[in-house]
Amino acid sequence: MGNTYVLDKDTHRNSHPIAIMLFLLVMVFGIFWAVYLKFFTLIGVTLITALLATSSIQIGAQWEKAVVLRFGKFHRLAGPGVFFVIPIVETITTWIDQRVQAIPFHAEETLTKDTVPVNVDAIMFWVVWDAEKAALEVKDYEAIVSWAAQTTLRDVIGRTMLSDMLSNREHIDQELRRIIDLKTEPWGISVQSVEIRDVVIPASLQEAMSREAQAERESKARMILGNAENLVADSFVQASKAYQNNPVAMQLRAMNILYEGLKEKGALVVVPSSAVQTMGLGTITGLTSTVKNTEWGQDFLGE
C-alpha cells in the first residue's frame, strides 16, 4: 500500500541529473587520463569508480526520510535533500513519507449495541512523526494502521446504540481517534482525526423508522391541538363570567354576532326563539333589516 519503498523500487533515485552528471564527469576524467597515460586499464577502473560514486549519492524529497542500515543494522535517518551512503556497506531499505495521509476504511454488516446491522464508512487522517519506529517496529505500517482502524471501528459500533450513532457522530469520531492513536503511537504514528462519512441501515428498518417518526410527529400535533382547545375553553369560561351578571354586555355581544353574520352576503342566521325573547334579538333584527333597506344604513353597514 502506497508509500513504503524498498531499495529495488527506488533505483530511479540514482538517475537524478546530479548523479548522471557525476557519472559523466568521472568517466570523462578517467578516459582523459587513460588516453594521456596510455594506460587503458584505467578506463575499467574509472567505470567502476563512476558506478560506485553514482550509487553513493541519494536525493530525498522534502517530505521523505530514508532509513539507512549499515551491515543490516539501523545506522541513521537521512534526508531530505542530497546525502551520501557508503556503497555495499550501507543500504536504504525504506523511504518514509511524513506528510499527512488519509486512509478510508469501513465496517460492513456490523451489529450495534441494540443489534441493528449497519454499514459504516469512515476516513482517518494520520502522520508519521517518528520515521525510525515506523520502519523498524512494523513491517508495513500503512496496512497495519488501516487494519487497526477497521477493527476499532467495529468495536466502537458494537458498543454504541444506533440512535447515538446517528445523532452524535462527533463523539464517536473523537472516541475512534483516541483508541486508534493509542494503538499506533508505539509505531511512531499519530492519528490527527477520524470522520464517519456515512451510516447505512437496512431499507426495511429505514421504513420502520420513518413510520415511527411520522407517528411521533402526529402525536405531538395532537397534543398541541389539545392544548390549544384547553386554552380556548378556558377563554370561554372567563368570558362567560364577564357576561353572567351583565345583561347589557350580553346584548351588545349578541348584536355584534348578528352584525357579523349579516355582513356576509347570502348568510343565514338561525337564532333560538328563547334567545330572541331573552335578549331582545327580534327587535334588534328588525332594526337591522330596516337600517339595511335605507340608503344611509347601507352606507353605515358598508354595502
Side-chain angles (χ1 to χ4, degrees):
M1 295 176 59
N3 299 311
T4 301
Y5 302 103
V6 183
L7 180 61
D8 58 359
K9 295 182 180 180
D10 275 296
T11 54
H12 67 279
R13 296 177 184 271
N14 295 329
S15 62
H16 193 274
I18 295 179
I20 296 175
M21 183 177 297
L22 179 62
F23 177 82
L24 293 177
L25 287 176
V26 173
M27 286 300 299
V28 170
F29 183 80
I31 293 174
F32 172 78
W33 280 104
V35 173
Y36 179 76
L37 298 176
K38 296 182 179 180
F39 184 61
F40 296 102
T41 306
L42 186 60
I43 296 177
V45 176
T46 301
L47 178 60
I48 296 174
T49 303
L51 291 175
L52 292 176
T54 302
S55 62
S56 67
I57 187 171
Q58 298 287 333
I59 299 176
Q62 179 64 37
W63 54 86
E64 290 178 321
K65 287 287 187 180
V67 179
V68 181
L69 302 182
R70 177 173 290 181
F71 294 116
K73 293 184 177 181
F74 175 78
H75 178 61
R76 72 182 191 277
L77 293 175
V82 180
F83 61 94
F84 296 89
V85 296
I86 302 175
I88 302 175
V89 176
E90 294 180 342
T91 57
I92 298 176
T93 58
T94 310
W95 293 87
I96 304 296
D97 191 330
Q98 292 194 296
R99 293 174 293 183
V100 175
Q101 302 184 59
I103 289 182
F105 58 101
H106 62 277
E108 295 181 353
E109 298 295 332
T110 304
L111 293 178
T112 61
K113 188 176 181 180
D114 47 351
T115 64
V116 177
V118 294
N119 295 332
V120 179
D121 289 329
I123 187 169
M124 180 177 66
F125 299 90
W126 56 280
V127 64
V128 177
W129 59 271
D130 191 329
E132 179 180 349
K133 289 183 177 180
L136 302 181
E137 298 296 330
V138 291
K139 180 178 180 180
D140 187 346
Y141 64 91
E142 284 193 354
I144 291 181
V145 167
S146 179
W147 284 113
Q150 187 171 357
T151 55
T152 303
L153 177 60
R154 290 181 177 273
D155 179 62
V156 171
I157 291 174
R159 293 186 283 109
T160 306
M161 302 291 288
L162 177 61
S163 57
D164 294 336
M165 186 176 301
L166 296 176
S167 62
N168 196 11
R169 289 191 183 184
E170 292 183 359
H171 175 73
I172 299 176
D173 292 344
Q174 294 175 2
E175 183 70 8
L176 286 170
R177 190 205 66 79
R178 183 187 66 83
I179 297 176
I180 299 174
D181 192 57
L182 288 176
K183 293 181 179 180
T184 60
E185 184 179 5
W187 309 330
I189 296 171
S190 175
V191 179
Q192 296 190 340
S193 66
V194 179
E195 299 178 5
I196 293 179
R197 297 187 295 178
D198 192 18
V199 178
V200 180
I201 60 179
S204 57
L205 182 59
Q206 292 183 20
E207 184 178 355
M209 293 176 65
S210 176
R211 290 197 301 267
E212 180 182 359
Q214 184 178 357
E216 185 177 354
R217 288 194 296 268
E218 290 179 357
S219 175
K220 289 183 179 179
R222 291 180 181 275
M223 292 178 61
I224 294 172
L225 181 60
N227 292 333
E229 291 289 345
N230 289 333
L231 292 175
V232 171
D234 292 339
S235 299
F236 277 123
V237 171
Q238 297 296 327
S240 66
K241 292 180 180 179
Y243 295 131
Q244 186 175 5
N245 299 319
N246 195 338
V248 176
M250 189 65 178
Q251 289 184 1
L252 291 175
R253 178 58 180 163
M255 292 176 63
N256 181 263
I257 293 173
L258 184 60
Y259 170 71
E260 293 293 334
L262 292 174
K263 282 198 310 181
E264 298 294 333
K265 293 182 179 181
L268 177 63
V269 179
V270 179
V271 181
S273 60
S274 59
V276 172
Q277 294 174 0
T278 303
M279 297 180 291
L281 290 179
T283 305
I284 296 171
T285 305
L287 291 174
T288 305
S289 300
T290 303
V291 169
K292 290 184 66 176
N293 292 329
T294 61
E295 182 178 353
W296 66 271
Q298 293 178 356
D299 295 336
F300 176 75
L301 293 176
E303 296 182 357

